[in-house]
Amino acid sequence: MRRAFALSIESVKRGGEPFGAVIAKDGEIVAEASNCVTIDCDPTANAEVSCIRKAAKALGTFNLEGCEIYTSCEPCPMCFGAIYWAHLDIIYYANDRKDAAKIGFDDDFIYQEIALPAEERMKPSEILLRDEAMQAFHLWEEKDDKTEY
């Protein structure tokens, strides 16, 4: 956890945001990252997502079971979802989303939006060409040699 803190501090000092993450397996660090959203002009370059990408590459697998993530702050909804998709065993975090909101990172707003029915969310969304899009789903469903995750 202290390495995640150090990464968050280093990130601020080089112009990034105050978030760091470390993924460990069997007590050894596999990957580490800090937020690079503004540095890389990439809204997905959060510490946790970047760390997951590095860990998956280092271990040669998209399934990070047996690993744990240490993050300096409670993961935002995007990172939380990525942690679940990666099958990390446990999430350790220090600051929470309320602490982040106090310094201008309102992840809690997105958590609230997700809980709403689609028609009540601030961002409008609409289904287009569903029947055409289903072709890929049907192909996947019928595929015998798919790698499920």
Side-chain angles (χ1 to χ4, degrees), residues 31-98:
E32 59 183 43
S34 58
N35 264 47
C36 294
V37 171
T38 56
I39 292 170
D40 293 346
C41 296
D42 180 353
T44 68
N46 287 14
E48 298 89 342
V49 169
S50 296
C51 198
I52 288 167
R53 289 174 179 158
K54 289 179 179 181
K57 188 172 186 174
L59 295 173
T61 180
F62 58 83
N63 186 330
L64 298 179
E65 287 181 52
C67 296
E68 50 209 21
I69 189 164
Y70 298 82
T71 179
S72 62
C73 188
E74 181 177 8
C76 75
M78 175 184 68
C79 294
F80 190 69
I83 288 166
Y84 270 78
W85 282 118
H87 301 283
L88 288 156
D89 290 355
I90 190 166
I91 305 166
Y92 296 104
Y93 64 90
N95 300 319
D96 66 20
R97 66 178 101 156
K98 303 293 184 193

Side-chain angles (χ1 to χ4, degrees), residues 2-54:
R2 287 188 179 95
R3 182 63 187 144
F5 298 156
L7 290 164
S8 68
I9 291 166
E10 291 169 19
S11 179
V12 172
K13 288 181 178 177
R14 68 172 200 280
E17 302 78 36
F19 305 101
V22 171
I23 292 177
K25 181 174 183 152
D26 301 323
E28 298 292 324
I29 293 176
V30 174
E32 59 183 43
S34 58
N35 264 47
C36 294
V37 171
T38 56
I39 292 170
D40 293 346
C41 296
D42 180 353
T44 68
N46 287 14
E48 298 89 342
V49 169
S50 296
C51 198
I52 288 167
R53 289 174 179 158
K54 289 179 179 181

